[in-house]
Amino acid sequence: MLLYVHIPFCSGKCLYCDFYSIVANSTIIDSYIDGLEREAQLVREKYFDSTEITLETIYIGGGTPTMLTDSQLGRIMRIIDSNFRTYKLKEFSCEVNPESVSADKLAVLQSSGLNRISIGAQTFDDALLKVIGRRHSSAQIQRAYELAHKFTDNINLDLIFGLPYQTIDNLKTDLHRVAETLSAAHLACYELTFSEGTKLTEMLNHSHIPTPDEDLLVEMHRYVHRFLTANGYEHYEISNYAKPTRQCLHNLRYWENAEYIGLGASAAGYINGVRYKNCSDVDQYCRKLSDNILSIESSETLSKKSRAGETAMLALRTSAGIDREKFKNQTGYDPFLLFANQIEKFRNTHLLEIDERTIKLTPEGFLLSNEILREFLL
Ligand code: SF4
């Protein structure tokens, strides 16, 4: 089983962010951790009859997990240790932000098995970091990387491209830094999304920042792929690149449509064929759990066919794509029959690569993945 723990606290709001996160004091964070403890127990009772749950991976994400003190992180580790079996744990990742990570916090996590660190860098350009409202500098990213490296060499850096005012040369500088200077094991490179309701989108709508240049975005996508694959990284998912054997196992299992437990406000989970989403409100989350009620805001049991569509859509996100035999074993359907129309539609494009065993996106297909993946949802 996979475990995801969500920490929805940040020191401020990045201007592009549409995740649920709040700025909170230590008392609220302590109550939140009480909620996590209760939720872990309730999930075990509701879905697992209180039997033992053996974890394959743990992922602590946010928000900003390193907003917590080392003793708060220690409490979360004890909650995990007392509710789950971790003796078969293969991967334990935690997201950290450059301005709040410390040796003490990483030491607490490492004593519970942390072996992968994901740093929210976004860009090494100080002016661009300010444009998007990040609260750290390029020098702090460098220090965070050096600190993380004392604990593990399995480090991911998140980068965003397509930032307002960012040139292709800015992006090249970022990529050279992460791939050549730091030689990070893993990179997650996302194009900036202008989500409704964010400050950056408001600035765009009022012409306070330039409109994204579509040709430049395509050039950036292609450069990221070309540069990183030429420098020893495998482009193994739409936005993810890894050195050999350094793919993120937790995410790979997620893209295989594996089940997972999600704990925390706004966390999602998938257990016994049921997908659920917790409420995105820390106060409500804490109130419900103090009354011994799970804070689930919506849940859905997918039909066998919808599950097959979802499995296909997730598999197509990865470079491995849909493997015919594996898909049949997992869903009961032959993907070449189930998706005959979609295969026909894309057969003569350069977007999908199809042979008798697999269906997968080409690097050009990754560029148009949203449009293509939609077609496979049933
Ligand atoms: S640190 Fe991450 S979660 Fe927090 S506001 Fe910034 S982008 Fe959002």
Side-chain angles (χ1 to χ4, degrees), residues 134-309:
R134 298 289 295 181
R135 295 162 298 286
H136 59 81
S137 63
S138 167
Q140 282 174 306
I141 304 172
Q142 179 70 32
R143 279 200 293 276
Y145 188 87
E146 286 166 10
L147 176 65
H149 213 266
K150 292 183 179 153
F151 291 83
T152 176
D153 61 356
N154 199 5
I155 300 173
N156 168 64
L157 285 164
D158 283 344
L159 287 185
I160 306 183
F161 61 91
L163 304 173
Y165 310 108
Q166 188 182 36
T167 63
I168 189 79
D169 285 337
N170 294 143
L171 174 63
K172 286 179 182 177
T173 307
D174 279 348
L175 291 172
H176 283 262
R177 180 83 173 260
V178 292
E180 291 178 346
T181 314
L182 301 178
S183 192
H186 191 286
L187 292 170
C189 290
Y190 300 96
E191 179 190 325
L192 177 69
T193 309
F194 285 91
S195 304
E196 273 317 304
T198 63
K199 193 87 183 142
L200 211 60
T201 303
E202 194 186 310
M203 290 163 76
L204 181 69
N205 293 341
H206 289 89
S207 307
H208 293 157
I209 50 170
T211 311
D213 175 336
E214 289 301 324
D215 292 338
L216 177 61
L217 288 176
V218 171
E219 188 187 352
M220 286 179 161
H221 270 282
R222 292 199 173 122
Y223 185 81
V224 171
H225 171 82
R226 235 184 13 254
F227 176 80
L228 292 177
T229 51
N231 278 277
Y233 291 86
E234 183 199 352
H235 189 175
Y236 77 104
E237 193 267 348
I238 297 169
S239 309
N240 284 276
Y241 295 81
K243 294 262 181 81
T245 75
R246 295 304 200 171
Q247 295 96 336
C248 174
L249 178 64
H250 183 89
N251 287 342
L252 274 179
R253 301 282 292 122
Y254 173 82
W255 294 316
E256 284 170 4
N257 215 358
E259 298 207 329
Y260 59 99
I261 297 167
L263 300 181
S266 88
Y270 179 34
I271 309 174
N272 297 341
V274 180
R275 286 200 177 279
Y276 67 86
K277 170 98 170 44
N278 286 343
C279 69
S280 297
D281 180 329
V282 165
D283 287 341
Q284 195 186 333
Y285 174 84
C286 294
R287 251 195 331 271
K288 284 220 164 176
L289 284 152
S290 67
D291 290 339
N292 280 332
I293 301 168
L294 286 170
S295 74
I296 295 172
E297 151 189 286
S298 60
S299 68
E300 181 186 18
T301 308
L302 295 178
S303 68
K304 191 177 165 209
K305 207 166 175 184
S306 304
R307 214 147 58 190

Side-chain angles (χ1 to χ4, degrees), residues 3 40 44 53 55 79-86 261 263:
L3 174 68
R44 280 180 52 208
I53 306 167
L55 297 180
I79 292 168
I80 293 175
D81 285 340
S82 55
N83 284 282
F84 304 99
R85 302 294 303 270
T86 54
I261 297 167
L263 300 181

Side-chain angles (χ1 to χ4, degrees), residues 10 12-14 16-17 19 21 62-64 97 134-135:
C10 292
K13 196 76 181 163
C14 305
Y16 58 89
C17 176
F19 295 121
S21 69
T64 309
N97 269 14
R134 298 289 295 181
R135 295 162 298 286

